[in-house]
Amino acid sequence: MRWTVALLLPLLAMPAALADADQDQDRARAAVEQGRALPLRTILDRAAARFPGQLLEAELEEEHGRLVYEIKLLMDGGRVVKLHYDARTGDLLAVKERGTEKDRRP
């Protein structure tokens, strides 16, 4: 019986996680429709042009009162690079490499 409960607990939490994802998606869509953010595709195209790598994660966050796209890429050699783009203008704000001392501003 314990095994059944242990297997079901993650499934019970899943609807809440899906609801959060839906809310995030709705918030991002509204920001694009209101002109407060560029479409994610635009940002991903800009990132790919300068930083060819495999997309790991993309998030739209609010930082210091402005919307910022945070893009995580897996680069050659296993490096993980985190890019921060101003969501409204598409300007690259920061480049951070995990596992190194580098934290560059463009």
Side-chain angles (χ1 to χ4, degrees):
M1 188 67 150
R2 284 187 189 158
W3 242 66
T4 304
V5 172
L7 290 174
L8 289 177
L9 284 177
L11 295 176
L12 294 174
M14 197 176 304
L18 293 175
D20 287 346
D22 286 345
Q23 288 176 348
D24 288 347
Q25 193 172 24
D26 291 343
R27 185 175 61 96
R29 183 179 296 111
V32 170
E33 289 172 356
Q34 295 166 3
R36 297 184 305 122
L38 294 169
L40 177 59
R41 173 58 22 209
T42 301
I43 300 300
L44 292 177
D45 289 346
R46 289 181 187 194
R50 282 187 62 187
F51 303 93
Q54 179 182 351
L55 177 66
L56 296 175
E57 185 177 11
E59 296 179 322
L60 181 61
E61 302 176 341
E62 188 166 329
E63 294 181 2
H64 308 292
R66 76 170 156 190
L67 291 176
V68 174
Y69 279 109
E70 181 181 288
I71 309 297
K72 288 183 187 175
L73 301 172
L74 178 62
M75 308 299 282
D76 286 341
R79 293 179 308 139
V80 175
V81 175
K82 187 185 298 183
L83 309 172
H84 288 235
Y85 283 89
D86 183 295
R88 187 178 53 79
T89 65
D91 292 338
L92 181 60
L93 303 173
V95 179
K96 299 178 182 180
E97 293 185 43
R98 186 183 298 169
T100 68
E101 295 293 320
K102 295 179 184 177
D103 180 6
R104 300 181 285 160
R105 302 285 174 205

